């Protein structure tokens, strides 16, 4: 057994370090928007009953009074300083446009106008997220930590003091880049910046070669300058090395025009980009110029100190965030918010906050034993990763053979040319391969599990299906690529409190299984860990030798941002820059792709680095492969109705339903009271539970629905109408909430209960 891990079973072991992702507001808070007794009154009307007459009039009056009570509850929520502080971090504009007018309104039966209902729904929308969504952001989604200790049996919670032990404010990468662009606009700064060769520009004896282009002959002085452009030498330093006979700035301008170098104030990728920029500015040799540049960051930092001092006071926080944006606009002459788009990562504001939860959790032997079904699931997922790696390796090997033939005898295939030539494979056939393997994965699991058509519950014993899993997916001798040794499960414990777990009165629910990824290595987790050496120590035990890791862009869409970049990179690891060189130029073992070559070694396609280090070529595609496979784990194919699947005491697939927006006929009813009654009848027809989560193509993220709450029914109805208008054929997915708000064991020092999930790291080999 490896120190720092616990044995699961078979080939898999779990890190003893566990992240606890939990909500920042108590779980029972979400029940405040379900007026007591209203659901029972609504259920007195059957599907065939005419909603008219004296009984209906009486219910309408009762509904109106209940709606007033619910609106008053929503106002109490909105009046909370913590709620308004959380909203301020998310979208402080709505505090003035919606929350303040809502608080200034006096709920009354005749006063619930369309505008006030919209504002009430806005409060409910944020409230469900803060109470029952296990997000990881700010004090309303703090990162908690725990460990496995098999000397214990159940779960122990040390609540600490208050909800959060610490909170930090970070600059977004894009905002610091904007400061850098403004500073470098001063012509006097440019000589102090360090030009850098583009990673895919290969330097040969008398020429420069770029992928898919013929060699470009260049004179020796140009080659010499290009070799010196490594991001560590300023223009002045380059001029000294090249000598006075060459106009280095003019030649650099020409190299920029040819797109062979970048010549700008580059801020290395980091969760603390402000510190990285300061380090760059400190290299400016002219004191006055350096002082003026640093003063810009000083001004921004002073503004951010106001945000830190405001803590969770909503008025002070709004003022401080506003001041930060005003200062940013003055310093950069740029907009203080980015527009949403398909190419920008999360983090639209200048700054954001992350927090660490005060509570510490210890998980004992009962929980570890109940996790046993993960071995079956992850062993099958191992097949999925390995099969995808084999398919992609086969395809890129064909690309290599073609490039080698075109290059001719004795000429190497450089990694840059190989990478670019593989792009059509990675964005075409590899995507189809991943989808096909997922379908095959589901087909094999259908052969393992009992027939589920028309059945709401599928329950099996792990030992009964272990042989079938082994037969269906076979022994996997290699995971495919280094990152594929990891799988990160999200697991929820359903129990009324921590003591119930010790008594064995609990059930586990699998949330997601993140394939080919150690998500505890993401910056947001690493930077909130009380001792990051613990995480690096476990990485060292898993990977004693150096790894080859593709160097990624700073951000791209929802898959990549500073918060989710992998941070467990050690000095011994190599990073290869394929398109962008976002690493610190002073970091050793950062290799431009053009400086590496691709070769066959003992029948295996490999990458050979300039110092002679050799790695399987598949490692270069690690991020692409992980992106293709990470969300592919699904036991059953999508269907109009899918059963709950339980192995031993772990639910591995929750019951779910898929509906067209138009199928929610109650959504179009103009009367709130009728809509509520018809929604409950619709729920009963389809046998939905009271609490569900809904995913719709028209909504940015999943949302919670309580069918006992008119405001949440209204939110669901609005989502259905929006979907029906946009795409009549599209489906929204409804999934049972499991555990429910009452099945929460994570507590604070006041004894309040919170929803949570455990982010685990499993490793094989």
């Amino acid at each position: 057994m490896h120190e720092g891990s616990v044995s699961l079973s078979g080939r898999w072991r779990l890190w003893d370090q566990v992240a606890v992702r939990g909500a920042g507001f108590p779980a029972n808070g979400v029940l405040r928007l379900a007026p007591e007794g209203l659901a029972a009154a609504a259920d007195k009307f059957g599907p065939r009953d005419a909603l008219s007459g004296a009984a209906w009039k009486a219910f309408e009056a009762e509904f109106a009074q209940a709606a007033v009570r619910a609106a008053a509850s929503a106002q109490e929520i909105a009046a909370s300083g913590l709620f308004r502080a959380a909203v301020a971090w998310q979208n402080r504009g709505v505090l003035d446009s919606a929350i303040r007018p809502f608080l200034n309104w006096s709920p009354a039966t005749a006063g619930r106008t369309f505008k006030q209902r919209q504002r009430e729904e806005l409060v409910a929308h944020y409230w469900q997220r803060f109470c029952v969504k296990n997000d990881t952001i700010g004090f309303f989604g703090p990162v908690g930590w725990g460990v496995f200790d098999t000397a214990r049996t159940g779960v122990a919670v040390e609540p600490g003091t208050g909800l959060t032990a610490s909170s930090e404010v970070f600059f977004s990468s894009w905002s610091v880049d904007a400061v850098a662009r403004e500073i470098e606009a001063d012509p006097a700064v440019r000589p102090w910046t360090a030009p850098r060769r583009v990673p895919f520009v290969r330097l040969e004896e008398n020429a420069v070669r770029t992928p898919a282009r013929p060699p470009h002959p260049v004179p020796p002085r140009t080659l010499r300058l290009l070799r010196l452009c490594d991001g560590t030498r300023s223009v002045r330093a380059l001029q000294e090395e090249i000598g006075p006979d060459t106009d280095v700035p003019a030649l650099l301008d020409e190299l920029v025009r040819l797109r062979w170098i970048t010549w700008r104030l580059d801020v290395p990728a980091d969760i603390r980009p402000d510190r990285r920029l300061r380090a760059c500015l400190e290299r400016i040799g002219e004191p006055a110029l350096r002082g003026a540049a640093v003063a810009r960051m000083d001004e921004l930092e002073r503004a951010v100190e106001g945000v830190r001092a405001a803590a969770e006071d909503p008025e002070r926080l709004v003022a401080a965030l506003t001041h930060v944006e005003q200062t940013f606009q003055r310093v950069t002459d740029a907009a203080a918010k980015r527009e949403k788009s398909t190419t920008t990562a999360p983090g639209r504001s200048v700054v954001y906050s992350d927090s660490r939860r005060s509570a510490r959790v210890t998980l004992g032997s009962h929980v570890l034993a109940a996790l046993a079904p993960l071995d079956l699931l992850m062993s099958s997922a191992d097949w999925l990763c390995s099969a995808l790696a084999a398919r992609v390796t086969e395809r890129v090997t064909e690309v290599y053979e073609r490039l080698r033939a075109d290059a001719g005898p004795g000429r190497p295939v450089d990694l840059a040319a190989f990478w670019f030539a593989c792009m059509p494979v990675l964005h075409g056939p590899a995507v189809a391969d991943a989808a096909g393997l997922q379908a095959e994965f589901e087909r094999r699991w259908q052969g393992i599990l009992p027939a589920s058509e028309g059945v709401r519950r599928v329950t099996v014993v792990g030992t009964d299906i272990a042989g079938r899993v082994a037969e269906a997916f076979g022994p996997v001798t290699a995971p495919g690529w280094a990152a594929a040794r990891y799988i990160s499960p999200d697991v929820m414990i359903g129990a009324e409190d921590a003591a119930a777990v010790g008594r064995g009165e609990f059930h586990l629910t699998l949330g997601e299984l993140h394939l080919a990824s150690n998500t505890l290595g993401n910056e947001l987790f690493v930077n909130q860990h009380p001792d990051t050496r613990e995480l690096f120590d476990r990485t060292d035990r898993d990977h004693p030798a150096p790894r080859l890791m593709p160097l990624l862009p700073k951000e791209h869409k929802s898959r990549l941002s500073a918060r989710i970049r992998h941070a467990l990179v050690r000095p011994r690891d190599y990073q290869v820059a394929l398109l962008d060189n976002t690493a610190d130029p002073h970091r050793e073992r950062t290799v431009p792709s053009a400086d590496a070559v691709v070769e066959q070694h003992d029948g295996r396609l490999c990458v050979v680095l300039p110092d002679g280090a050799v790695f399987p070529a598949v490692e270069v595609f690690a991020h692409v492969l992980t992106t293709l496979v990470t969300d592919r784990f699904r036991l059953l194919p999508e269907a109009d109705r899918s059963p709950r699947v339980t192995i031993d005491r772990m639910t591995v697939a929750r019951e779910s339903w898929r509906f067209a927006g138009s199928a929610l006929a109650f959504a179009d009813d103009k009367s709130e009271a009728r809509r509520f009654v018809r929604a409950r009848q619709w729920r009963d027809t389809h046998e939905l539970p009271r609490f569900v989560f809904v995913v719709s193509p028209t909504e940015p993220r999943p949302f919670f629905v309580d069918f006992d709450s008119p405001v949440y029914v209204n939110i669901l109805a609005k989502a259905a109408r929006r979907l029906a208008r946009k795409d009549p054929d599209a489906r929204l997915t409804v999934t049972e909430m499991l555990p429910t708000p009452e099945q929460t064991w994570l507590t604070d020092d006041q004894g309040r209960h919170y929803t949570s999930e455990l982010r685990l790291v499993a490793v094989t080999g």
Side-chain angles (χ1 to χ4, degrees):
M1 173 49 56
H2 295 251
E3 186 182 352
S5 64
V6 294
S7 178
L8 184 60
S9 60
R11 300 166 51 236
W12 295 91
R13 52 190 169 84
L14 297 173
W15 274 19
D16 62 346
Q17 299 287 306
V18 177
V20 183
R21 302 179 69 225
F25 287 77
N28 63 3
V30 78
L31 305 180
R32 294 170 61 183
L33 298 180
E36 187 176 354
L38 187 63
D43 292 345
K44 292 177 182 177
F45 298 94
R48 298 179 182 177
D49 291 345
L51 302 185
S52 59
W56 177 249
K57 289 292 184 183
F59 175 77
E60 284 188 311
E62 182 177 353
F63 182 91
Q65 290 301 319
V68 170
R69 295 198 307 273
S73 294
Q75 283 189 317
E76 291 174 5
I77 292 165
S80 160
L82 285 177
F83 174 83
R84 286 181 289 122
V87 173
W89 277 111
Q90 294 291 285
N91 183 2
R92 72 179 186 280
V94 303
L95 291 173
D96 282 331
S97 65
I99 304 298
R100 196 180 305 279
F102 181 63
L103 290 174
N104 291 334
W105 165 64
S106 296
T109 300
R112 292 188 69 250
T113 63
F114 172 74
K115 198 68 177 176
Q116 295 299 352
R117 289 199 303 271
Q118 275 192 319
R119 291 164 178 162
E120 183 182 347
E121 289 168 16
L122 180 70
V123 171
H125 170 77
Y126 279 112
W127 190 235
Q128 59 88 26
R129 181 179 179 186
F130 299 156
C131 288
V132 295
K133 297 288 293 297
N134 298 321
D135 284 338
T136 310
I137 181 72
F139 73 87
F140 43 94
V143 178
W145 288 98
V147 294
F148 278 103
D149 180 359
T150 54
R152 294 178 177 267
T153 55
V155 169
V157 179
E158 300 174 26
T161 303
L163 178 68
T164 58
S166 64
S167 291
E168 298 178 78
V169 179
F170 299 88
F171 281 92
S172 297
S173 288
W174 72 267
S175 64
V176 174
D177 284 341
V179 176
R181 297 290 80 79
E182 182 65 20
I183 291 173
E184 73 177 10
D186 183 347
V189 171
R190 208 171 193 214
W192 296 102
T193 60
R196 200 171 195 174
R197 175 165 52 107
V198 172
F200 51 81
V201 171
R202 183 172 179 82
L203 307 182
E204 299 186 342
E205 188 175 352
N206 297 305
V208 168
R209 187 183 293 269
T210 56
R213 298 286 181 87
H216 190 294
V218 294
R221 64 170 187 170
T222 302
L223 279 174
R224 185 182 175 205
L225 180 60
L226 278 168
R227 288 193 173 93
L228 293 172
C229 288
D230 59 3
T232 68
R233 297 174 174 88
S234 69
V235 177
R236 294 193 175 207
L238 291 171
Q239 185 70 72
E240 290 179 5
E241 292 211 38
I242 296 295
D245 295 338
T246 300
D247 185 347
V248 168
L251 185 51
L252 290 173
D253 279 331
E254 175 63 12
L255 297 179
V256 170
R257 187 190 67 79
L258 291 169
R259 299 183 180 179
W260 292 350
I261 66 167
T262 57
W263 183 10
R264 58 178 180 250
L265 188 56
D266 266 335
V267 182
D270 196 272
I271 200 169
R272 303 181 192 276
D274 51 312
R275 297 181 184 177
R276 292 290 192 169
L277 177 57
R278 282 185 179 275
C280 295
L281 299 180
E282 291 298 332
R283 299 187 186 109
I284 297 175
E286 294 181 17
L289 190 62
R290 180 177 65 249
V294 170
R296 294 177 184 266
M297 283 305 301
D298 288 342
E299 189 175 359
L300 267 173
E301 273 291 353
R302 286 193 295 271
V304 172
E305 281 303 319
V307 177
R308 296 188 178 103
E312 289 141 22
D313 181 311
E315 281 71 29
R316 290 181 65 194
L317 181 60
V318 167
L321 289 170
T322 301
H323 180 52
V324 166
E325 292 189 353
Q326 291 170 343
T327 305
F328 177 80
Q329 289 174 316
R330 184 170 61 253
V331 166
T332 65
D333 195 29
K337 279 188 180 293
R338 293 193 301 177
E339 293 300 318
K340 288 183 179 180
S341 77
T342 59
T343 57
T344 58
R348 297 172 57 223
S349 300
V350 176
V351 295
Y352 64 92
S353 176
D354 275 327
S355 301
R356 186 168 77 244
R357 198 176 207 102
S358 293
R360 293 276 297 175
V361 173
T362 303
L363 306 169
S365 57
H366 285 359
V367 175
L368 182 61
L371 290 169
L374 286 178
D375 180 70
L376 300 174
L377 304 180
M378 295 189 301
S379 294
S380 66
D382 214 8
W383 170 87
L384 187 59
C385 295
S386 181
L388 179 62
R391 295 270 184 96
V392 171
T393 298
E394 183 179 350
R395 293 185 185 279
V396 299
T397 300
E398 293 174 359
V399 173
Y400 166 76
E401 295 293 352
R402 187 178 70 247
L403 290 176
R404 189 177 65 169
D406 292 343
R411 178 173 290 279
V413 174
D414 69 79
L415 178 57
F418 175 67
W419 170 262
F420 275 89
C422 289
M423 285 297 99
V425 169
L426 299 176
H427 293 287
V431 176
D433 287 340
L437 288 168
Q438 180 182 14
E440 174 62 15
F441 180 81
E442 294 167 358
R443 188 192 67 77
R444 295 188 186 191
W445 266 105
Q446 282 182 291
I448 293 168
L449 297 171
S452 59
E453 187 172 349
V455 176
R456 295 191 62 187
R457 302 286 183 265
V458 174
T459 303
V460 297
V461 177
T463 53
D464 290 347
I465 65 169
R468 279 177 274 166
V469 171
E471 183 180 352
F473 296 100
V476 177
T477 56
W481 64 102
R485 290 181 56 200
Y486 289 113
I487 293 179
S488 298
D490 291 334
V491 176
M492 291 163 281
I493 303 175
E496 64 178 20
D497 55 29
V501 181
R503 297 191 301 268
E505 299 168 2
F506 70 97
H507 187 84
L508 301 184
T509 299
L510 178 67
E512 294 181 280
L513 209 61
H514 306 276
L515 306 188
S517 178
N518 175 0
T519 55
L520 290 195
N522 293 352
E523 288 271 18
L524 74 95
F525 289 114
V526 173
N527 277 276
Q528 295 306 319
H529 195 280
D531 185 357
T532 58
R533 290 175 301 179
E534 297 275 2
L535 303 180
F536 277 98
D537 284 348
R538 283 144 187 80
T539 302
D540 288 342
R541 291 172 190 135
D542 296 342
H543 301 281
R547 294 170 293 176
L548 178 65
M549 310 176 78
L551 190 60
L552 305 176
K554 287 185 180 179
E555 59 176 44
H556 184 257
K557 300 184 181 179
S558 61
R559 287 287 187 194
L560 191 62
S561 69
R563 296 180 75 242
I564 61 174
R565 287 179 62 86
H566 190 75
L568 297 178
V569 181
R570 308 158 302 174
R572 76 181 77 162
D573 294 322
Y574 291 90
Q575 290 187 301
V576 59
L578 299 164
L579 299 175
D580 302 307
N581 205 340
T582 56
D584 185 338
H586 296 270
R587 182 192 186 274
E588 296 181 359
R589 295 197 169 187
T590 302
V591 181
S593 57
D595 292 356
V597 296
V598 183
E599 298 176 352
Q600 287 275 9
H601 281 220
D602 299 324
R604 186 175 65 164
L605 199 63
C606 294
V607 172
V608 182
L609 304 183
D611 67 357
V614 179
F615 293 93
V618 71
E619 298 299 337
V620 176
F621 306 107
H623 180 69
V624 177
L625 291 169
T626 294
T627 300
L628 285 174
V629 79
T630 192
D631 295 330
R632 296 282 181 180
F633 182 86
R634 192 172 62 205
L635 294 182
L636 301 174
E638 287 187 338
D640 288 345
R641 184 167 186 167
S642 297
R644 181 194 294 179
V645 179
T646 301
I647 303 176
D648 298 336
R649 62 193 308 170
M650 177 187 288
T651 292
V652 298
R654 286 166 284 187
E655 189 173 12
S656 64
W657 301 256
R658 298 176 72 241
F659 302 100
S662 58
L664 282 65
F666 65 86
D668 292 320
D669 204 311
K670 301 299 183 184
S671 162
E672 272 193 288
R674 279 198 307 271
R675 185 187 306 148
F676 182 65
V677 170
R678 295 304 189 203
R680 293 187 61 78
Q681 293 170 351
W682 175 84
R683 187 202 77 157
D684 288 344
T685 297
H686 295 284
E687 301 179 288
L688 272 64
R690 173 182 172 180
F691 304 116
V692 298
F693 282 105
V694 180
V695 175
S696 172
T698 59
E699 308 304 315
R701 55 177 59 89
F703 59 93
F704 163 86
V705 173
D706 176 359
F707 280 101
D708 283 12
S709 167
V711 67
Y712 285 118
V713 167
N714 289 344
I715 290 172
L716 173 61
K718 184 175 291 185
R721 294 195 300 269
R722 190 180 294 122
L723 181 61
R725 286 194 303 269
K726 183 174 182 180
D727 186 352
D729 296 324
R731 301 295 184 94
L732 53 81
T733 301
V734 179
T735 304
E736 63 173 328
M737 182 184 186
L738 197 68
T740 64
E742 301 97 335
Q743 299 170 319
T744 48
W745 55 272
L746 179 64
T747 54
D748 63 11
D749 57 347
Q750 302 298 311
R752 294 171 294 206
H753 288 240
Y754 297 82
T755 64
S756 63
E757 66 183 23
L758 308 174
R759 173 65 58 85
L760 309 175
V761 174
V763 62
T764 185

